């Protein structure tokens, strides 16, 4: 039987994981990754909290819940087999006020439904045993939540793809995918069409995913709206005040997890990320902006609907954007001994968050297939945790169905 040819667009952790999975499941297949940057993992996969989420928050039965749990097992094994650091430092989600308790309990119920190992609710004394400097009236403890370097893992997967005979083509921005008579052609920016015709293509383009999808004939929505998250590194002398990961109970009015203390795999302790609209999809410098990217969300009616519904939360986040001390104060509510700690700005991440036309943020992963082309249209956190499982899902469940037009959400 003739071996198939696959094109994967995007050299973030998801695209690389998909390419690797194709090579594992279809030995002898031709697999080519097209990445627009000069190195892999230059966007979300290289700018995140580095947390291996255990599966606490996700709607039981949804793709996120399923692929996160499976992703943890695959990622842990991958790190062990490849000698990559994996630190099960544990995490607490902390309630400071009575009104947060029902929400904390709801997270606990979801964690149990998602079969997250070892998770339990603890009182303030037990919390002190786990995190001696943390205050709170009740907390959820997830002992197996871990930290890794996703950039390092992505780099290892890219090397493995090449060792297995695949190719990772850097500096190769794809303009669109064209399907003709069951063959997929890759048109690069500038008009050149790559010499090889492919049987299938899988686009994993993160912050640019809606644009490539649209240009390749997929639906207009959901659109990507970028939200940045700023991190700060805390003074070396204070980093032992936090042992693992300390998270707030998420605010239901806002879709992100809230500013948290995150231990990094390199031993640094960071605080962040906040969440605010980014004036560019790939502008990591605080003051820079992209007219094209701004015009894109300002011209989207969904964005205005979102903005009007989330004014209060946006004001709260804005305080942490304009004032470093407000940022630290927010976090120090959980660890008062860090109230006056010195911080230095660290990396900023930009989330590729899909938004519907009605202003709602798409919560679950969205992977859509049309003909022989599949697009990841939404893979926010825990997208990196889930990457090896997302890859299995795409290669084993999405791609084999070669019906002419099929939507999977
Ligand atoms: C601030 C922040 C914190 C996060 N924290 C966590 C966490 O702790 N744990 C967790 O599990 N997840 C976390 N996430 C989410 C996680 O980082 C993402 O889900 C994951 O990295 C997505 O990987 P990806 O490969 O889909 O996208 P990306 O890493 O963004 O990769 C997309 C790639 O496609 C390339 N590309 C785009 N367009 C084209 C084109 N036209 N042609 C060629 N190449 C193209 C880009 O250059 C890029 O390399 C966080 C994200 C952010 C932003």
């Amino acid at each position: 039987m003739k071996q198939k040819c696959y094109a994967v667009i995007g050299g973030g952790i998801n695209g690389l994981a998909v390419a690797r999975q194709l090579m594992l499941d279809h030995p002898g297949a031709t697999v080519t990754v097209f990445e627009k940057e000069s190195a892999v993992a230059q966007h979300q996969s290289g700018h995140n909290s580095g947390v291996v989420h255990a599966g606490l928050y996700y709607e039981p039965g949804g793709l996120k819940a399923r692929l996160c749990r499976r992703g943890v097992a695959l990622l842990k094994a991958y790190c062990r087999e490849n000698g990559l650091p994996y630190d099960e430092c544990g995490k607490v989600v902390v309630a400071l006020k009575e009104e947060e308790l029902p929400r904390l309990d709801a997270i606990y119920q979801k964690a149990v439904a998602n079969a997250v190992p070892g998770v339990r609710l603890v009182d303030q004394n037990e919390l002190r045993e786990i995190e001696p400097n943390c205050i709170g009236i009740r907390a959820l403890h997830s002992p197996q939540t871990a930290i890794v370097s996703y950039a390092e893992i992505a780099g290892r997967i890219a090397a493995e793809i090449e060792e297995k005979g695949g190719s990772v083509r850097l500096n190769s921005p794809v303009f669109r995918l064209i399907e003709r008579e069951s063959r997929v052609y890759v048109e690069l920016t500038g008009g050149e069409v790559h010499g090889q015709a492919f049987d299938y293509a899988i686009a994993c383009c993160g912050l640019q995913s809606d644009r490539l999808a649209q240009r390749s004939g997929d639906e207009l929505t959901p659109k990507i709206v970028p939200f940045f998250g700023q991190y700060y590194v805390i003074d070396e002398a204070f980093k032992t005040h936090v042992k693992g990961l300390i998270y707030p109970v998420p605010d239901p009015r806002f879709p992100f997890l809230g500013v948290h203390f995150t231990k990094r795999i390199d031993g640094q302790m960071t605080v962040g990320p906040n969440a605010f609209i980014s004036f560019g999809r790939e502008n990591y410098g605080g003051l820079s902006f992209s007219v094209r990217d701004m015009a894109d969300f300002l011209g989207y009616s969904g964005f205005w609907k979102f903005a009007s519904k989330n004014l209060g939360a946006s004001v709260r986040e804005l305080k942490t954007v304009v004032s470093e001390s407000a940022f630290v104060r927010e976090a120090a509510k959980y660890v008062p001994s860090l109230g006056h700690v010195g911080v230095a700005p660290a990396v900023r991440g930009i989330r590729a968050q899909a938004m519907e036309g009605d202003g709602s943020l798409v919560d679950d992963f969205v992977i859509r297939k049309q003909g022989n082309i599949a697009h990841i249209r939404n893979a926010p956190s825990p997208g990196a945790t889930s990457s090896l499982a997302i890859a299995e899902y795409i290669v084993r469940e999405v791609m084999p169905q070669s019906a002419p037009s099929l939507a999977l959400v």
Side-chain angles (χ1 to χ4, degrees), residues 342-387:
V343 293
V347 355
R348 182 178 262 226
I350 304 178
R351 305 168 178 90
Q353 176 60 55
M355 188 184 279
E356 296 289 6
D358 65 2
S360 59
L361 299 186
V362 182
D363 182 52
D364 211 353
F365 297 144
V366 177
I367 296 147
R368 210 150 52 201
K369 180 168 176 268
Q370 276 213 318
N372 290 348
I373 304 174
H375 296 274
I376 298 186
R377 294 291 300 255
N378 193 45
S381 186
T385 304
S386 314
S387 52

Side-chain angles (χ1 to χ4, degrees), residues 278-347:
S278 175
F279 297 150
R281 292 192 184 197
E282 298 179 356
N283 294 50
Y284 295 96
L287 296 172
S288 57
F289 65 93
S290 152
V291 174
R292 178 192 178 201
D293 293 348
M294 285 180 69
D296 229 13
F297 69 74
L298 292 174
Y300 183 43
S301 62
F303 171 72
W304 293 106
K305 290 176 192 153
F306 169 83
S308 65
K309 277 188 248 163
N310 288 282
L311 211 56
S314 307
V315 170
R316 186 196 70 183
E317 291 294 313
L318 184 62
K319 283 188 205 148
T320 68
V321 174
V322 294
S323 156
E324 205 169 276
S325 56
F327 195 102
V328 173
R329 266 201 313 278
E330 192 64 32
K333 285 180 189 162
Y334 298 85
V335 184
S337 61
L338 295 178
H340 299 287
V341 71
V343 293
V347 355

Side-chain angles (χ1 to χ4, degrees), residues 15 35 58 79 138 148 218 254 265 281 287 294 353 367:
E35 165 54 51
Y58 317 120
C79 288
R138 204 163 162 75
V148 292
D218 198 35
F254 214 60
I265 203 75
R281 292 192 184 197
L287 296 172
M294 285 180 69
Q353 176 60 55
I367 296 147

Side-chain angles (χ1 to χ4, degrees), residues 49-314:
S49 299
V51 176
V52 182
H53 288 290
L56 305 180
Y57 307 99
Y58 317 120
E59 218 40 62
L63 268 187
K64 263 189 183 175
R66 175 185 150 198
L67 300 181
C68 178
R69 288 297 315 135
R70 173 83 181 139
V72 172
L74 293 173
L75 200 69
K76 192 172 172 179
Y78 191 80
C79 288
R80 196 179 49 232
E81 283 155 20
N82 289 277
L84 297 167
Y86 187 99
D87 178 0
E88 245 169 39
C89 59
K91 152 174 173 172
V92 283
V93 182
V94 179
L96 293 174
K97 302 181 208 141
E98 290 282 329
E99 69 200 50
E100 292 174 327
L101 293 180
R103 282 188 269 135
L104 187 68
D105 198 52
I107 297 173
Y108 174 69
Q109 300 303 339
K110 278 187 186 166
V112 170
N114 292 335
V116 178
V119 70
R120 65 197 182 97
L121 290 169
V122 296
D123 63 19
Q124 43 189 309
N125 295 327
E126 284 178 288
L127 172 61
R128 286 274 178 162
E129 281 166 28
I130 301 162
E131 285 288 354
N133 297 303
C134 180
I135 58 163
I137 56 171
R138 204 163 162 75
L140 181 152
H141 182 217
S142 166
Q144 292 190 10
T145 296
I147 50 170
V148 292
S149 162
Y150 287 113
E152 206 180 334
I153 295 170
R156 179 68 208 113
I157 301 174
E160 189 188 339
I161 292 166
E162 302 221 293
E163 282 156 22
K164 287 187 161 59
S167 122
V168 179
R169 295 177 59 96
L170 301 172
N171 303 305
S172 302
V174 174
F175 181 69
R176 63 177 169 154
L177 299 165
I178 306 158
E179 185 169 349
R180 217 175 284 134
E181 292 164 5
S182 298
R183 307 292 284 160
V184 182
Y185 299 87
V186 174
E187 183 183 325
L188 298 166
T189 301
E192 181 201 341
V193 176
H194 182 72
Q196 173 151 37
F198 294 90
D199 295 291
Y200 298 101
I202 302 107
C204 312
C205 288
L207 287 151
Q208 308 295 336
S209 53
D210 56 337
R211 290 176 174 161
L212 183 70
Q214 274 176 38
R215 291 196 295 260
S216 307
D218 198 35
E219 287 171 25
L220 295 182
T221 55
K223 259 184 105 58
I224 291 296
V225 176
F227 288 87
F228 77 76
Q230 176 71 52
Y231 294 89
Y232 290 90
V233 180
I234 72 173
D235 266 3
E236 185 74 14
F238 289 86
K239 71 180 189 192
T240 52
H241 285 224
V242 179
K243 291 168 101 178
L245 310 170
I246 302 178
Y247 280 63
V249 178
D251 183 337
R253 293 165 303 163
F254 214 60
F256 304 108
L257 295 182
V259 166
H260 44 263
F261 286 102
T262 314
K263 187 178 162 192
R264 295 261 172 183
I265 203 75
D266 62 6
Q268 283 185 332
M269 180 60 67
T270 63
V271 57
N274 52 5
F276 202 73
I277 191 78
S278 175
F279 297 150
R281 292 192 184 197
E282 298 179 356
N283 294 50
Y284 295 96
L287 296 172
S288 57
F289 65 93
S290 152
V291 174
R292 178 192 178 201
D293 293 348
M294 285 180 69
D296 229 13
F297 69 74
L298 292 174
Y300 183 43
S301 62
F303 171 72
W304 293 106
K305 290 176 192 153
F306 169 83
S308 65
K309 277 188 248 163
N310 288 282
L311 211 56
S314 307

